[in-house]
Amino acid sequence: MFESQNQSNYPSRCNLIGRCILSCIFVFLTHLTLSGIPRFFSTFSFLTQLALSALLLLLLLGFGGWCRRTVLKAKASAPAFVFFSILFVWGFYFSVIRPVVPRPNDVVFNCGVGFLFVGLYRIMTSDPGIVRNGSASPDQLVERSLSQVDEELELMAIGLGHGSAQDSGLLMRVRYCKICKAYIKDLDHHCPAFGNCIGQNNHPFFLILLFGFIGTEASYLMCTSLFAAKSGILDRPSELTLSESLAISTILFIILQLLWQVMFVIWHIYCVCANIRTDEWIKWKKYPEFQLVIPPEPGQRFTNIRFCNPYDKGMVQNVKEFLALRT
Ligand SMILES: [Zn+2]
């Protein structure tokens, strides 16, 4: 993880191993529980099973959180959960699905999994664009006016040796991440799944990694569909073994993942096209430059505050700026 973070904020090695083991157990329990959907609700339609799987995942998420807080009194690790989820699906594919999958599909899926492991490591250890000599407190930085922030960050930029006009535009959007306890250039959001901020340096790779997840999951669905067709498990839903139930439950799990990730990617593309970051979009009332104060009309007592985006220069220019400032 990046070096400027407060070291005391990090769990010890034993604590980290404990959190990884907890995440691993949670991944196995989640998939074993999900396999009960095609096994015990075999007469239900596929869409109903998908809805039940979504409901069960939400219940497991809530129950897991409650167990960690009250019984275990320990935290799990979200990046470890993502890692073990990929490992579980890949291990299941390797031991059950792979024998019936044609060579080209097998190569595509394995390359996808390899990319996800490398990508996960890279995004977790990347520097999102930390401002290394920031001195202002987080609340001060958020609440000051745009001109004041600009002025101080210009000074910061000079101190950093990056005083160009191009950098000045980006430094206006330096935000503070309370989780990493660091100032991040062009912060998009703190991603719990990857355990790191998404900012100026790793935002394009974050989008590439999301596309990698979508492509690999689509490839897994194709491979598992071939397995389902060849083994005839959809024709005899009441006689499923554990591995056959897992084949169907992992399809349900991956479809839910795909739906969520496709929506997330569409939202991110919209944010890039509109030149607004996720954190700004959600918490725009925290940032003065996004607030347009409308004076009260006759008969009204209070002023209205509406959203406006001062960084929006039109879709083409916004995309050009996003790509140019990161190359
Ligand atoms: Zn962060």
Side-chain angles (χ1 to χ4, degrees):
M1 201 65 60
F2 42 88
E3 61 204 40
S4 76
Q5 290 180 338
N6 186 348
Q7 294 299 316
S8 64
N9 206 30
Y10 284 96
S12 66
R13 184 167 290 187
C14 280
N15 194 321
L16 202 61
I17 292 168
R19 288 170 71 170
C20 288
I21 291 170
L22 198 61
S23 301
C24 181
I25 293 168
F26 193 57
V27 165
F28 272 86
L29 286 178
T30 301
H31 282 285
L32 283 177
T33 314
L34 272 180
S35 71
I37 298 279
R39 217 166 188 191
F40 300 114
F41 299 92
S42 57
T43 53
F44 287 42
S45 71
F46 189 78
L47 273 180
T48 311
Q49 289 189 30
L50 194 67
L52 284 173
S53 301
L55 191 65
L56 187 60
L57 278 175
L58 286 174
L59 287 173
L60 284 171
L61 207 64
F63 180 70
W66 177 80
C67 276
R68 288 195 303 271
R69 283 192 304 274
T70 57
V71 183
L72 301 168
K73 296 193 187 300
K75 283 183 179 176
S77 161
F81 186 86
V82 174
F83 172 80
F84 286 116
S85 287
I86 301 169
L87 196 64
F88 181 91
V89 171
W90 184 72
F92 177 73
Y93 166 85
F94 212 81
S95 53
V96 178
I97 311 289
R98 192 170 183 249
V100 300
V101 173
R103 186 88 176 158
N105 296 63
D106 181 51
V107 171
V108 169
F109 178 68
N110 281 307
C111 286
V113 171
F115 172 76
L116 293 188
F117 280 131
V118 174
L120 191 60
Y121 173 77
R122 194 179 153 187
I123 199 105
M124 283 173 68
T125 54
S126 63
D127 173 359
I130 299 165
V131 178
R132 296 188 186 278
N133 64 345
S135 56
S137 75
D139 291 336
Q140 281 173 330
L141 191 64
V142 165
E143 286 166 8
R144 269 175 273 149
S145 70
L146 182 63
S147 60
Q148 285 172 303
V149 171
D150 189 30
E151 195 178 304
E152 293 196 16
L153 288 172
E154 281 285 2
L155 290 171
M156 197 186 286
I158 292 162
L160 285 164
H162 299 287
S164 71
Q166 194 182 50
D167 280 347
S168 166
L170 269 180
L171 281 169
M172 282 200 298
R173 295 177 92 163
V174 167
R175 312 291 186 201
Y176 186 77
C177 174
K178 286 181 180 174
I179 298 163
C180 299
K181 298 192 188 306
Y183 292 97
I184 312 292
K185 282 184 251 178
D186 204 18
L187 174 71
D188 185 78
H189 70 290
H190 179 91
C191 180
F194 298 147
N196 199 357
C197 273
I198 306 302
Q200 180 189 325
N201 294 355
N202 59 1
H203 199 167
F205 185 71
F206 171 75
L207 291 174
I208 291 168
L209 191 56
L210 282 182
F211 278 109
F213 268 94
I214 290 170
T216 309
E217 285 160 357
S219 167
Y220 178 78
L221 286 184
M222 198 174 283
C223 295
T224 324
S225 303
L226 288 169
F227 171 82
K230 285 187 182 175
S231 62
I233 53 175
L234 297 176
D235 301 327
R236 47 179 176 83
S238 56
E239 306 160 15
L240 298 177
T241 62
L242 177 63
S243 61
E244 289 169 342
S245 301
L246 275 168
I248 298 177
S249 66
T250 49
I251 288 177
L252 295 166
F253 178 77
I254 294 292
I255 288 176
L256 290 172
Q257 286 266 92
L258 265 177
L259 286 173
W260 155 247
Q261 283 162 358
V262 167
M263 283 194 297
F264 198 61
V265 163
I266 291 171
W267 183 32
H268 259 271
I269 290 171
Y270 160 76
C271 286
V272 169
C273 292
N275 202 353
I276 188 162
R277 305 295 166 248
T278 308
D279 186 67
E280 295 168 346
W281 194 83
I282 297 169
K283 304 171 188 168
W284 66 271
K285 287 188 177 171
K286 212 172 83 173
Y287 303 115
E289 69 263 41
F290 291 99
Q291 297 169 19
L292 182 66
V293 180
I294 312 284
E297 288 179 15
Q300 283 187 331
R301 292 179 63 188
F302 303 104
T303 53
N304 287 317
I305 295 176
R306 286 190 192 156
F307 171 82
C308 72
N309 182 5
Y311 303 110
D312 188 2
K313 301 181 186 86
M315 192 175 79
V316 176
Q317 189 58 33
N318 292 341
V319 174
K320 273 185 188 172
E321 198 173 277
F322 178 83
L323 296 172
L325 290 170
R326 289 164 179 82
T327 54

